[in-house]
Amino acid sequence: MIDRPLELLSQNTDADLDPRDWDALRSLGHRMLDDMVDHLRDLRQNPVWQPIPPTIRERLRQPLTVEGEDPGALYQRFRDDILPYGTGNTHPRFMGWVHGGGTPLGMLAEMLAAGLNANLGGRDHAPIEVERQVIRWAADAFGLPKTAGGLLVTGSSMANFIAVLMARGAALGAAARRDGLGGARLTAYASAGVHRCVPDALDMAGIGSDALRLIPVDATFAMDTRALATAIAEDRAAGAVPFLVVGTAGSVDVGAFDDLTAIADLAERERLWFHVDGAFGALVALSPTLSPKVAGMDRARSIAFDFHKWAQVPYDAGCILVRDEADQIATFAAPSAYLTPGARGLSANAPWPCDLGPDLSRGFRALKVWFTLQAFGTERLAAVAERSCSLAGHLAARVEAEPELELLAPVPLNIVCFRYRAPPAQADALNTAIVADIQEAGLAAPSTTLIGGAVAIRAAFVNHRSRAEDADALVAGVLAAGRALVQNPLP
Ligand SMILES: *Cc1c(COP(=O)(O)O)cnc(C)c1O
């Protein structure tokens, strides 16, 4: 509880938004900090997730005040109405989709970045150097050459989109920025397990999502590179212009890796832009035991990946890397009298990030990445990925040992797809219900996916807080929910 109302705001007609009473603001800030540190320390004692009660949802739909409210009271509403009803991805038993867990240090870095309120679109200031340093570290970690560049973006969806635009420019030349596709029938290639943001990127780039050929996968869920070669040849024969191949490093469904070396060879022969979507999987490059999975990634012309997944940087922090920064500049730089870098003063320091991507105003995402990478070092971040994979192995073994459960896909990385056995007509509905029951009980948060058309319970280990006991709790929860549903069948 906040003990006293805080006279933090000047009375309404005053246009100065700083606090009248700085000490009151300071104590509110300390209070927030203490509460959030306690919250993160005690995560395990809370439900992973709970539904938002209707009264609270209603409060979150109220119109905006005209007069302003007391910040202490607002903070109390944050504690009552928002804090308990998050996604749960900070919690050790969150295993849904692919979500990072964040760190307390990352939270503090976010506060510092907000205090600086830096705009990283351009100009000469240290925050831009911090972002460049982070990009350099990533390019080095993935084996890209000194010509490499990149940008922090919201996530891999945006990073993949930027890669498609760069590949389009490389295929059609700079004039395409002005003239559009000019009737060229560009075609792109990716495995059938590619993330949906890749067809979306082709759509947004004006190329159309149908231009993406989905290449079948083999038994390991990796792209069949012979089928890829055939598809490229067929498209060329039909008068299309193959321009891009996307290799997936860590597919969202099962965590599969395409053979990036074979794709690099083919892309070189066929003169295609070779892009890697390594949203979470690219980070295995940090681990000596896991890095063979991304052999060949260092030959990519661009790589999309996220710091907000396995690297545990708080949302959002995605990254596009490009082998040659010149490709980025050719795709995005635009002359403008108002925004031209100069030789000295605040407008020096070209190239500005606004000439490397679609955003002009950009926040200081780089600071939380910079703190996280340096505080933990590459070894501990690699250890997070390694433990995620060993937890998946542990869960897979538990599933195989339970007669009521079955694995639905191989477990090459950190993701386990399995289900509660049931007659075919009921299996999908039953497993969908099991996942919802477990989530609503606050016990764990797996998600679902389709494997070969069948509903699978999907557990992806990404959170650095997850332990074997959490995987065990999921197994116990699935068995209990499955048995209860079998006894009291769905209507
Ligand atoms: C998460 C993910 C994406 C999308 O990344 P966002 O950061 O959510 O935009 C793309 N591809 C793969 C393989 C992913 O796992």
Side-chain angles (χ1 to χ4, degrees):
M1 284 298 296
I2 300 298
D3 351 87
R4 61 195 170 99
L6 294 169
E7 276 293 310
L8 295 186
L9 292 175
S10 313
Q11 287 313 309
N12 44 33
T13 51
D14 190 336
D16 179 351
L17 304 183
D18 279 334
R20 210 161 46 181
D21 179 348
W22 284 91
D23 287 336
L25 177 88
R26 188 189 306 279
S27 64
L28 177 63
H30 282 287
R31 182 71 197 264
M32 289 171 168
L33 181 62
D34 286 343
D35 287 351
M36 287 310 286
V37 169
D38 288 350
H39 169 77
L40 293 174
R41 183 194 58 198
D42 300 336
L43 280 172
R44 237 173 221 292
Q45 292 151 31
N46 297 326
V48 180
W49 176 82
Q50 50 189 335
I52 308 170
T55 49
I56 290 183
R57 206 185 288 272
E58 194 44 49
R59 280 210 291 273
L60 292 171
R61 291 174 178 185
Q62 293 304 307
L64 176 63
T65 163
V66 175
E67 293 184 328
E69 291 181 36
D70 176 65
L74 286 176
Y75 176 57
Q76 192 58 47
R77 280 187 38 210
F78 165 80
R79 295 203 33 181
D80 295 343
D81 293 0
I82 301 173
L83 183 62
Y85 305 105
T87 336
N89 55 303
T90 51
H91 196 287
R93 285 196 302 279
F94 188 94
M95 302 157 193
W97 302 274
V98 179
H99 274 50
T103 66
L105 185 69
M107 173 184 81
L108 298 178
E110 278 282 60
M111 188 197 73
L112 301 181
L116 267 182
N117 191 27
N119 180 344
L120 276 79
R123 295 154 290 268
D124 194 6
H125 51 120
I128 292 213
E129 298 301 332
V130 171
E131 180 161 350
R132 287 182 183 148
Q133 185 170 35
V134 162
I135 294 293
R136 186 71 256 155
W137 289 335
D140 287 346
F142 296 157
L144 295 183
K146 290 293 166 215
T147 52
L151 206 58
L152 294 181
V153 292
T154 43
S156 286
S157 303
M158 180 55 82
N160 284 322
F161 178 47
I162 289 173
V164 167
L165 294 175
M166 292 191 295
R168 186 188 68 178
L172 300 181
R177 288 180 65 186
R178 202 179 48 237
D179 303 338
L181 298 182
R185 281 173 47 216
L186 298 180
T187 53
Y189 306 83
S191 102
V194 73
H195 193 278
R196 54 155 270 194
C197 69
V198 173
D200 286 353
L202 284 148
D203 161 9
M204 294 189 295
I207 299 165
S209 55
D210 273 1
L212 182 68
R213 309 286 190 250
L214 293 178
I215 307 300
V217 293
D218 63 20
T220 67
F221 289 71
M223 191 196 300
D224 176 346
T225 43
R226 288 176 53 186
L228 170 64
T230 308
I232 294 170
E234 282 173 4
D235 280 330
R236 280 207 202 285
V241 182
F243 80 113
L244 164 69
V245 56
V246 178
T248 295
S251 65
V252 266
D253 51 357
V254 305
F257 287 78
D258 289 339
D259 181 344
L260 301 179
T261 300
I263 296 174
D265 288 342
L266 197 59
E268 212 166 273
R269 255 196 330 272
E270 297 283 348
R271 296 178 312 283
L272 308 187
W273 184 285
F274 170 33
H275 171 69
V276 173
D277 178 8
F280 63 101
L283 260 291
V284 306
L286 300 181
S287 157
T289 53
L290 297 171
S291 63
K293 291 176 181 296
V294 288
M297 184 168 73
D298 57 342
R299 293 169 61 191
R301 279 191 72 175
S302 54
I303 301 171
F305 74 102
D306 285 321
F307 286 109
H308 57 218
K309 289 175 176 170
W310 251 340
Q312 315 293 330
V313 172
Y315 285 90
D316 50 29
C319 185
I320 177 70
L321 293 176
V322 57
R323 176 167 219 88
D324 190 343
E325 192 183 54
D327 281 314
Q328 222 180 340
I329 292 173
T331 306
F332 293 105
S336 127
Y338 163 70
L339 282 169
T340 303
R344 34 188 297 246
L346 194 45
S347 53
N349 204 18
W352 286 0
C354 65
D355 282 331
L356 303 175
D359 293 315
L360 176 53
S361 294
R362 311 172 60 250
F364 195 7
R365 282 188 192 98
L367 190 64
K368 60 194 173 184
V369 180
W370 188 83
F371 263 98
T372 302
L373 295 183
Q374 292 183 103
F376 302 115
T378 51
E379 263 181 33
R380 281 178 80 190
L381 294 175
V384 170
E386 287 161 7
R387 186 169 55 210
S388 302
C389 296
S390 67
L391 283 174
H394 171 78
L395 175 59
R398 290 287 327 267
V399 166
E400 285 188 300
E402 292 291 344
E404 291 151 272
L405 305 179
E406 64 179 325
L407 282 181
L408 290 185
V411 181
L413 201 65
N414 61 329
I415 301 174
V416 184
C417 293
F418 67 106
R419 69 175 167 185
Y420 191 88
R421 287 182 201 270
Q426 292 142 39
D428 285 357
L430 182 79
N431 282 282
T432 304
I434 288 173
V435 167
D437 283 355
I438 292 175
Q439 290 173 352
E440 285 172 3
L443 186 72
S447 57
T448 58
T449 190
L450 291 177
I451 300 288
V455 171
I457 301 172
R458 181 178 163 291
F461 294 95
V462 183
N463 190 315
H464 60 101
R465 302 180 176 106
S466 300
R467 299 288 182 273
E469 67 194 79
D470 301 308
D472 294 341
L474 175 65
V475 171
V478 168
L479 288 173
R483 287 168 191 159
L485 284 162
V486 167
Q487 262 162 29
N488 305 297
L490 302 166

